[in-house]
Amino acid sequence: MTRSADAPGRRATILDVAAAAGVSRQTVTRAMNDMPGISAATRERVQKCAVELGYSPSRFAKGLVQGARTSVGLAIPDLTNPYFPAFASSVVEAATQRGWNVVVDDYGHGTGSGLDAVSRLAPQVDALIGYLGEHAAEAQSLMGSRPVVGLDCPGGSSAGSIGFDYPYAAGLALDHLASTGRHKVAFLDSDQGGPAGSRGAAVAAAAAAAGIPLARIHASPSATAARDAIGGLLEKEPGLDALLAFNDVMAAGVLKALHSAGRSVPGDCAVIGMDGIPLGELLTPELTTLALDLRAVGRAAVDLVEALLSGAVEPGSPAASLTLRHELIVRQSA
Amino acid sequence: MTRSADAPGRRATILDVAAAAGVSRQTVTRAMNDMPGISAATRERVQKCAVELGYSPSRFAKGLVQGARTSVGLAIPDLTNPYFPAFASSVVEAATQRGWNVVVDDYGHGTGSGLDAVSRLAPQVDALIGYLGEHAAEAQSLMGSRPVVGLDCPGGSSAGSIGFDYPYAAGLALDHLASTGRHKVAFLDSDQGGPAGSRGAAVAAAAAAAGIPLARIHASPSATAARDAIGGLLEKEPGLDALLAFNDVMAAGVLKALHSAGRSVPGDCAVIGMDGIPLGELLTPELTTLALDLRAVGRAAVDLVEALLSGAVEPGSPAASLTLRHELIVRQSA
DNA sequence: CTGAAAGCGCTAACAT
DNA sequence: ATGTTAGCGCTTTCAG
C-alpha cells in the first residue's frame, strides 16, 4: 500500500519520505539531521524528496524519543500595560539563557481569567509562571505536580510564589511625601487585579503612620481611566497635594489630568507611580516612582522554577516564597 | 517526603503509576483524564498515587497520539520597545482565538540575531511569525516547509510576508508638514533593524517630491539614543522646523531633547513619530504619528499563517505578500 | 554506508 | 469496570 501525498490533510511522515527516496527511514533521519554515515548523494536525494513532500519531522515524536528542552508557560493579564512586557522580557531572557522556551498567554483580551490561560497552557508546558491573582491554587491543581510560580498572589497556594513588600514600598513613598511637606494625599487604586487591595491597604497604613490623611479612589488600570477618575477627585478634594497611583500607567493618566486641570506637578501636587517601567522617564514631568528591578523579578521567577523543577527547593516551603522590595526613584514629579 | 528516591532523575511514567496503584495503564489514563468507565474509588486511588509519584503525563506522548494544537513561534527583536509587545499582543490574541498557542523568543538580549531565535523556535513550532530583517530566507530554510511570515523584510523570501507602504506613509507626513508651512525637516533614522533604510529612503523621496530639504541622521532605536543624537543636530541645523522619527520611542526622545534645548513643540519644531503605540498619547505634547493598526497587523499575520498552513494560499505567491498602510494621527506635536 | 529492530509514553479500540 | 492490543513518528541501538 502506498501512502500518497494526496491523502487529504495527512502530514507526510518519515516513512513517506523513505518510500519516495527508496531508502529506509533511518537513512532519512541521517539526512535530515546532518548525521554522519551517509553518502552526500543519498543525503541530497532524500532532502529533495523531503522538500517535495513538505515533510517536517513531528516535534512530538522527536521530543518523545529525545527528551526536549523544558518549556515554561507565562500567563499574563495584559500585554498592553507596559509593565507586563517588561516583566515578560526578563522572563524570556532568563529562560533563553537556560535553553528553555517560553509559551506566552495573554488572558486579558477576552473575558477570560487567568485560569483560562492556565488551562490552555497546562498541556504544553513543564512549569508555569504567572500573575494568577486569586487563582493560584486552582492553577496549581491544573498543573498537577509541575511547579507553578505565582506573582503577587495572596496565599502561597502555589508551589512557589513571589510577592512584593507593599508596606515597605508605601513607607518609602509616604516618608518622601511627608518629608517634602505634603499634607493631604490620595491613592488611586486599581479596581481589579492584584491581591485585593494589598497595595491600598499598605498605603493606608503608611499614611496613618505618617499622620497624613488619605483619600482613596478606584479606576480601571489604564491611563485614560485614571485620567477620568482624577478629574472628579480634584473637585471634591481641593486641598490635595500628592497623588499615589497603583501603577505607572495610571500615574501617566494622573499627570495628564493634573495638567489639564491646570495644576502644576510637582508644584501644586506631587505624583508617585509604581512599577518603574521605562515609560516613566519619557513623561513630562519625569515620573517619580516605586520601582521594581524588573530584570530581577523575571530572573527570580525563573530561578525559582528551576529550583522547584530540580527538587532543590520543596514546593510550598519557605524557600519557595520570595518577597521583593521596591525602591523609590525620585525624578521630577515628586 | 513524597519525592520518589527510587529512580534518580527519571520522570515517573504512566506505568509507574499503574504499578503503584495496582491497575493497568489504561485505568490510569481514565483516572487522569476524568474519563468515564472507572469507579470513583479507583479513580481517587490512582490520582493519589500519581500525586505521590509526582507524575504528570508527557506532553510529547500525548501530542503524538492525539495530535495537538498548532503552535506558532514569534520572533521579536526587543520586547522592551513598546511596539513589539503591542504587536505580540495582537498576535497572541488572534492565535488564542484559533486555539493555537504562541511561543515567544526575544532575540534582542544577547548578541543574537533573529536567526538564533528561529533556530531555538524551529523544533518547537508549526509556523513562524517574526521580524526577521535580512534573514527571512535563512529562517524559511530552517523551518523547511513550515510557513514563515516575515514582517517588514526586504525580499519576499519567506512563505509569506507583510510589508508596509513607506512611500505612502512618508507622503502623508511630508504633505502634512508642507501644508503647515514647515521648511526644513530632518529624519532621525534607526541605525539598525528594518529593511536597510527603506523608511529613510521613502522619507527622502517624499521630501524631494514636496520640495523640502531633508537632513538625515542615525541613532540606536531607543529614546535616550535619540535624545542624544538630536542634541548635536540642533546646533548644526539651526533652521530646522520639523523632525520625523523612525519610531514613536525615538520620537519620545526627540521631544525630550527639544524640550531641554528650549524649543517649543510644535511651535518651533514639529515632531512626527511612527508606529502609533499608546505611549504617544501619554507624552507631552501628545505625539502626532504615522500609526499602524496594530491589531490589524497581528491579525493579518495570523490569518496569513492559517492560509499558508491550510494550503489556501501558495507560499511565495502574490496572495502571500501583504502590504499595510500607515495612517496619520494628528495630535499635538505636529 | 545502509537497514532492521526496539522502544520513547501515551491513548484509541477492542476485548473481558 | 477494568485489562489487552496496537499503534502515533521518531531516534537509538545493533546488524549487515
Side-chain angles (χ1 to χ4, degrees):
Chain A
M1 146 167 55
T2 323
R3 322 170 112 175
S4 48
D6 51 297
R10 225 189 104 266
R11 255 181 58 161
T13 81
I14 196 172
L15 276 74
D16 300 323
V17 178
V23 297
S24 74
R25 53 205 228 168
Q26 293 64 28
T27 300
V28 177
T29 291
R30 292 186 182 108
M32 297 304 294
N33 300 12
D34 289 314
M35 294 166 66
I38 181 178
S39 74
T42 332
R43 162 169 305 150
E44 232 165 284
R45 182 161 45 93
V46 171
Q47 288 177 339
K48 184 165 152 279
C49 288
V51 170
E52 278 172 2
L53 293 177
Y55 166 74
S56 74
S58 148
R59 65 173 190 278
F60 296 110
K62 216 162 173 163
L64 185 53
V65 82
Q66 291 186 317
R69 30 181 28 144
T70 92
S71 83
V72 337
L74 184 58
I76 274 182
D78 181 15
L79 234 16
T80 268
N81 172 341
Y83 171 80
F84 293 107
F87 168 66
S89 168
S90 79
V91 169
V92 170
E93 177 176 19
T96 300
Q97 281 172 356
R98 287 171 172 74
W100 300 356
N101 53 12
V102 178
V103 185
V104 174
D105 196 298
D106 172 355
Y107 59 85
H109 296 302
T111 54
S113 88
L115 241 34
D116 295 306
V118 175
S119 57
R120 282 184 296 252
L121 252 16
Q124 301 287 337
V125 301
D126 306 304
L128 188 73
I129 295 174
Y131 278 82
L132 275 5
E134 338 276 86
H135 307 296
E138 291 130 293
Q140 182 65 74
S141 93
L142 244 25
M143 286 289 288
S145 60
R146 292 165 294 171
V148 172
V149 171
L151 282 104
D152 207 5
C153 298
S157 36
S158 42
S161 66
I162 295 184
F164 304 105
D165 188 346
Y166 292 120
Y168 175 79
L172 247 31
L174 270 296
D175 284 356
H176 179 69
L177 259 16
S179 73
T180 50
R182 306 291 172 173
H183 298 302
K184 176 144 195 208
V185 1
F187 179 65
L188 173 58
D189 206 344
S190 164
D191 59 13
Q192 62 185 67
S198 52
R199 270 132 128 136
V203 171
I212 295 182
L214 181 79
R216 296 175 65 174
I217 56 172
H218 293 256
S220 297
S222 76
T224 56
R227 169 156 67 173
D228 297 345
I230 292 301
L233 177 70
L234 292 178
E235 297 171 9
K236 282 184 206 149
E237 306 274 1
L240 209 65
D241 60 6
L243 255 156
L244 235 89
F246 179 85
N247 65 28
D248 285 350
V249 169
M250 294 179 80
V254 169
L255 250 24
K256 286 217 95 73
L258 256 17
H259 182 77
S260 44
R263 307 233 188 161
S264 75
V265 175
D268 298 336
C269 185
V271 175
I272 298 184
M274 194 165 201
D275 277 351
I277 56 178
L279 165 66
E281 290 182 90
L282 301 177
L283 301 177
T284 310
E286 295 181 10
L287 187 67
T288 291
T289 186
L290 290 161
L292 243 22
D293 179 347
L294 263 323
R295 311 210 80 64
V297 180
R299 214 168 25 231
V302 174
D303 284 348
L304 191 46
V305 165
E306 183 168 52
L308 255 8
L309 239 22
S310 74
V313 163
E314 202 64 24
S317 69
S321 205
L322 271 44
T323 300
L324 270 23
R325 287 189 160 180
H326 291 77
E327 172 194 6
L328 182 69
I329 297 189
V330 178
R331 290 196 279 240
Q332 302 169 343
S333 72
Chain B
M1 209 141 298
T2 49
R3 211 159 189 83
S4 55
D6 45 304
R10 221 188 99 261
R11 254 182 59 164
T13 80
I14 196 172
L15 277 75
D16 300 325
V17 179
V23 297
S24 75
R25 53 206 230 165
Q26 183 54 22
T27 299
V28 177
T29 289
R30 293 188 181 104
M32 296 304 294
N33 301 8
D34 288 314
M35 294 166 65
I38 181 178
S39 74
T42 344
R43 162 168 304 149
E44 231 164 287
R45 182 162 43 94
V46 170
Q47 290 177 339
K48 184 165 153 279
C49 288
V51 170
E52 277 173 1
L53 293 177
Y55 165 74
S56 73
S58 148
R59 65 174 189 277
F60 296 108
K62 216 162 174 164
L64 186 53
V65 81
Q66 292 187 316
R69 33 183 22 144
T70 93
S71 83
V72 336
L74 185 57
I76 274 182
D78 180 15
L79 235 16
T80 269
N81 172 340
Y83 171 80
F84 293 107
F87 168 65
S89 167
S90 79
V91 169
V92 169
E93 176 177 19
T96 300
Q97 281 172 355
R98 287 171 172 73
W100 300 357
N101 53 11
V102 178
V103 185
V104 175
D105 195 299
D106 172 354
Y107 59 85
H109 296 303
T111 54
S113 87
L115 241 33
D116 295 307
V118 175
S119 57
R120 282 185 296 252
L121 251 17
Q124 302 286 336
V125 302
D126 305 304
L128 187 73
I129 295 174
Y131 278 81
L132 275 5
E134 338 276 87
H135 306 296
E138 290 129 293
Q140 181 65 73
S141 91
L142 244 24
M143 286 288 288
S145 61
R146 292 166 293 169
V148 172
V149 171
L151 282 103
D152 207 5
C153 298
S157 36
S158 43
S161 66
I162 295 184
F164 304 107
D165 188 346
Y166 292 120
Y168 175 78
L172 247 32
L174 270 296
D175 284 356
H176 179 70
L177 258 16
S179 73
T180 50
R182 305 293 172 172
H183 299 303
K184 176 144 195 208
V185 1
F187 179 65
L188 174 58
D189 207 344
S190 164
D191 60 12
Q192 63 185 66
S198 53
R199 271 131 127 136
V203 171
I212 295 181
L214 180 79
R216 296 174 65 174
I217 56 171
H218 293 257
S220 297
S222 76
T224 56
R227 168 156 70 173
D228 296 345
I230 293 301
L233 178 70
L234 292 177
E235 295 171 11
K236 281 185 205 148
E237 306 273 1
L240 209 66
D241 60 6
L243 256 156
L244 235 90
F246 179 85
N247 65 29
D248 285 350
V249 170
M250 294 179 80
V254 168
L255 251 24
K256 286 217 96 72
L258 256 16
H259 181 77
S260 45
R263 306 233 189 162
S264 75
V265 176
D268 298 337
C269 186
V271 175
I272 299 184
M274 193 165 201
D275 277 351
I277 56 178
L279 165 67
E281 291 182 90
L282 300 177
L283 301 177
T284 310
E286 295 182 11
L287 187 66
T288 292
T289 187
L290 290 161
L292 243 23
D293 179 347
L294 262 324
R295 310 209 82 63
V297 180
R299 212 166 29 228
V302 173
D303 284 348
L304 190 46
V305 165
E306 183 168 53
L308 256 7
L309 239 21
S310 74
V313 163
E314 201 63 25
S317 69
S321 205
L322 271 45
T323 300
L324 270 24
R325 287 190 159 181
H326 291 76
E327 173 193 4
L328 182 69
I329 296 189
V330 177
R331 292 195 278 241
Q332 302 169 342
S333 72

